Amino acid sequence: MSVSAADIDFALELFDGLGPLTHRKMMGGLCLYSDGTIFAILHSDASLWLKGAGDWADHMTAECWELWTYSRDGKKTTAMPYWRLPDAALDDPDEACRLARAALACL
C-alpha cells in the first residue's frame, strides 16, 4: 500500500509553516525533509511520525508518544527513531510545526 495524494497534500499543508519542504517515497511511505534533513515520515496508513534524537527523543518518550516499532517473520522487534505525532497536532498546524522545529533542532 502506498500513501495517497490527499495524505501527501495534508502533510505538506500541515508543515507548511516550516518553509520549503521536499519529500520522497520510501520505507513504504513518504519521507519529509526540511533543508535536506529528514524530520518526519508519513506512513501508508496516513499516520505521521517525527524523527527524534537526543533530548527531543527523551522528551517524546517521557510524554509517552508512541514509538515506531516493527518485526519481521518472528524476529525480534526493532524500534525506529520516530514517534507518532500527537492527534492534537494533526488539527493544529502551528503546534505541528512547533514540534517539528523541536525535532529538527536535535537532528
Side-chain angles (χ1 to χ4, degrees), residues 9-104:
D9 289 344
F10 173 80
L12 293 174
E13 185 176 320
L14 184 68
F15 293 115
D16 185 58
L18 294 177
L21 300 177
T22 56
H23 55 86
R24 180 174 163 194
K25 288 186 178 183
M26 61 171 41
M27 296 189 277
L30 186 88
C31 296
L32 298 170
Y33 299 83
S34 176
D35 292 324
T37 300
I38 185 172
F39 72 93
I41 292 179
L42 171 63
H43 282 201
S44 60
D45 66 0
S47 60
L48 277 166
W49 301 74
L50 289 183
K51 189 169 186 178
D55 290 341
W56 184 241
D58 294 341
H59 169 81
M60 291 185 288
T61 299
E63 294 271 320
C64 298
W65 290 26
E66 180 184 352
L67 177 63
W68 175 18
T69 60
Y70 72 93
S71 58
R72 291 189 187 150
D73 300 326
K75 296 181 181 178
K76 72 176 191 169
T77 299
T78 301
M80 299 296 289
Y82 293 88
W83 284 259
R84 185 187 292 264
L85 190 67
D87 288 343
L90 295 172
D91 295 326
D92 185 347
D94 291 334
E95 178 64 2
C97 288
R98 183 188 73 76
L99 295 171
R101 283 186 195 96
L104 281 161

